[in-house]
Amino acid sequence: MTFTVTDVPERERFEAHDEADALAGVLTYQLTGSIIAYTHTKVDPQFEGKGVGSALARAAMDDARSKGRTVVPICPFLSGWLEKHPEYEAIVARSTRKVK
């Protein structure tokens, strides 16, 4: 199954659609200057396990990289996905400060 991912800036989200143009999932964000915080990934239950989340994550990260943005991965799904994709590490904001 192939998904088309597009940025919908007026809704502050990326949307994934299947071949029939059904909305399969979204990845929401907040943009401030050159910093983009990815806040939540949601996949429609009928599309779970079919690669929608990964398609959204890759498209969002490629978009951020092409626009010179720094990514703040708030979304737990995206954070986990980034652990498996170190090629994006250079644009991800990481904190080394420990919370006490």
Side-chain angles (χ1 to χ4, degrees):
M1 187 170 279
T2 304
F3 299 98
T4 302
V5 179
T6 54
D7 184 11
V8 185
E10 64 274 11
R11 298 189 77 183
E12 293 187 307
R13 69 187 197 175
F14 285 85
E15 295 181 352
H17 292 264
D18 71 359
E19 295 96 346
D21 203 35
L23 182 62
V26 299
L27 190 158
T28 59
Y29 63 82
Q30 294 177 338
L31 178 62
T32 305
S34 65
I35 298 173
I36 190 160
Y38 292 121
T39 55
H40 184 65
T41 303
K42 181 173 171 141
V43 174
D44 187 281
Q46 72 179 2
F47 294 102
E48 287 180 0
K50 297 183 179 176
V52 176
S54 292
L56 284 162
R58 184 169 306 284
M61 292 303 296
D62 286 346
D63 183 73
R65 182 165 46 198
S66 73
K67 293 177 178 168
R69 293 181 173 153
T70 299
V71 172
V72 178
I74 296 169
C75 169
F77 172 82
L78 183 64
S79 292
W81 187 87
L82 284 169
E83 288 177 10
K84 299 172 190 164
H85 296 86
E87 65 270 25
Y88 295 103
E89 191 62 31
I91 64 168
V92 177
R94 300 280 186 203
S95 174
T96 57
R97 186 178 59 171
K98 293 183 180 180
V99 178
K100 294 182 181 183

